[in-house]
Amino acid sequence: MAKDYKCVVCGRCHLKSRRKITTKALKQFVRKRIERNLEENDVICEKCRSIYRKTLKNVNNEQKDSNCLSECISDDSDSEFVINTEEAVSTKILSPKQIELNISSTHTSHRFCIVCKKEGTSRNKLCKVPLQARTQAFIKNAVFIDGNTRCCKHHLSEQLFDDTSLQALTAKYTTTYMNRSDITSLLENVRQTLTTSHILNFDNPLSLSDGDYYNLTGLSKQQFNELSSYIVSARQTNVRSVRTCIAVLLTKLRTGLPNHILGTIFSLTKSQVQRCIHSARVSLMQDFVPHFIGFQHISHEDFVQNHTTPIAKTLFANDSEDAAIIVMDGTYIYLQKSADYEFLRLSYSLHKNRPLVKQMVIVGTDGYILSVLGPYFANAKNNDAAITKHMISVNAEGMNEWLETSDVCVVDRGFRDVIDFLREQGYNVEMPVYLKKGSKQHPVEEANASRLVTKVRWVVESVNARIKQWRFFDKVVSNHFIPIIGDLLRIVCAVCNKFRPPLAGTHPEDKSIAEAMLEKMQKGNAIQKMVTEEGLLTKRTIYKLVDASNVLDELADFPVLSMDKLREITMGVYQLKQAPNYVREHEGEDGKFELYVCKIKENLLKIKIQSRHSNKLSHTVFISYSDEGDIKGWYCTCKSGARVVGCCAHVASVLWYLGYQRLEQQSGSRRDFKTSVLDASHIPSSDESDCDSLPEE
């Protein structure tokens, strides 16, 4: 009779623990397990009945905890793991977990968090691990998480584990018992995740790293989130979100990629990319740009207080607390050749020999972009001077009310024709001095005055270089972007103002450097005077050539110069950056680093430096030093070589080589690109060809 009481589910004999199958739910569970109709004498053992009760309890818990998810996790995010809600939370009966698989899994306790292993308390409430997070853990960590497990709420973000929690998640078991529902659900979730996930998804904060954000948009993840928070006028659609629109536009500006490639990256069509760019541009121009660029976005007082460097104040404002110092320069944006011949003529630059438009960039002395005006045509009637006169005449952005008398405009030589006009408006103008016709070198006074201007004006060139890091403006722009090219540039400049650090920082020694420059400006160049009066430039017999391989012994008494001392001499870093390049050329096999010691003048050196621009031009550098280890003076035959407010790059390269590099041995290595490019002027002679054709002995 034992076989008559065999459990209909597991097939084992349990004479003392058999139970009749009476309830409707139990009959449904058994029929699903044995896949046939029940007979009158069928019984179930207590163990299988316990499995049935546990399964029924899990279903009830799933229904009860469905509201817990919505309390601890936001459901309106468009995350990478786009999974349908669990259909298992229904009246369907789950099969027992009897399939053993070699898949790592976590514990299934309700009391402890599966990530940090902390026990749930009234203060640290645990919530069910969402389906999206469980799928994420399986895909990225190869760890299966049961649907009844719990974790702390702070481990979740947008229905997913954050990066730290995902790294801390570890498996407890190397094998897992699963039922058919678990396997089916897992495979379906993984399939949907892989098929619905975008190549780039900016709506899920965990799908891209901070480096990915910066490489694509030029902003870190935090900065991108902050920029997105400004947008209130954009409309979210089923196709793309507001964050996706902003990401498409910034990626376009950052990389310069065409729209069809952006469509591939963002899983959008070309027309959808165009609409994203339009929507993001309009929203940013309305909600973000007016707060960070333009004459009206900042007061005159705040600009003077926060965006004027101490060096500029000391050099040009006479320490005035009210004078604003602005630096102006035009930047070029190259265009395609237009089929509209009139527009082609107006946009064609005879200076650059190509079509372009100009934008006038106005910045503070720390690199803060006050305004960007334009675009303007590029023909002869639209030079920098004409553009500046037009801006003031039409009172662009209300700049005439913003500017005050005694404000300082720092410009380059391209503004020479508008200098008198600016001074008539009451503004002070600082510009490098022009080299007089027929002259080969600036006098000392002019060279010193020009150095004061370049000490401040360099920042606008760095701003233009920062703008061109957004490759859209560094490439040839398609003509259909011409109507919005000004808006796009203002968006980039506003982003730079908000999220980029100042180009020129404030240092405690800035004021003392400026005062030293003003003091040296009143001095003449004693070395130039000596060389000119005694004819040391043309005499040859009074010099002794120094063997390049024996420089250390020949010039053992030359002063040792630290990098701080070199910066004190050059009063800048540009010349020191050029120094290693000059030295490498003259140290090469074909270099002509000619170093002479004067026989009639103690501690006077003469050095020949090849020009980096022309093979026919070379410069002669004179350097005088004392026995006490000081540099007494210098002179170079280049255009600005007579100045004593700092020195030219040729003098700096010699000082860097003799006083720093030859002792530190820090010349570094470089690639010789000359060996990779052919020279058509070098044709082997017939003798060389014959020698090459001779057989080896």
Side-chain angles (χ1 to χ4, degrees), residues 593-619:
F593 202 107
E594 300 178 3
L595 195 153
Y596 298 88
V597 176
C598 184
K599 299 177 183 178
I600 62 174
K601 295 289 183 181
E602 187 178 7
N603 297 338
L604 180 65
L605 302 179
K606 173 185 172 183
I607 304 96
K608 287 282 188 178
I609 298 292
Q610 176 64 47
S611 170
R612 61 173 171 155
H613 302 293
S614 174
N615 289 328
K616 298 181 180 179
L617 184 62
S618 62
H619 306 291

Side-chain angles (χ1 to χ4, degrees), residues 29 32-33 51-52 55-56 58-59 62 88-97 148 179-182:
F29 170 77
K32 186 175 180 62
R33 293 288 293 137
I51 295 175
Y52 156 73
T55 303
L56 189 62
N58 290 340
V59 172
E62 293 278 358
V89 185
S90 64
T91 58
K92 184 172 63 175
I93 305 301
L94 301 179
S95 60
K97 299 178 181 293
N148 296 320
N179 55 24
R180 290 176 296 175
S181 300
D182 291 335

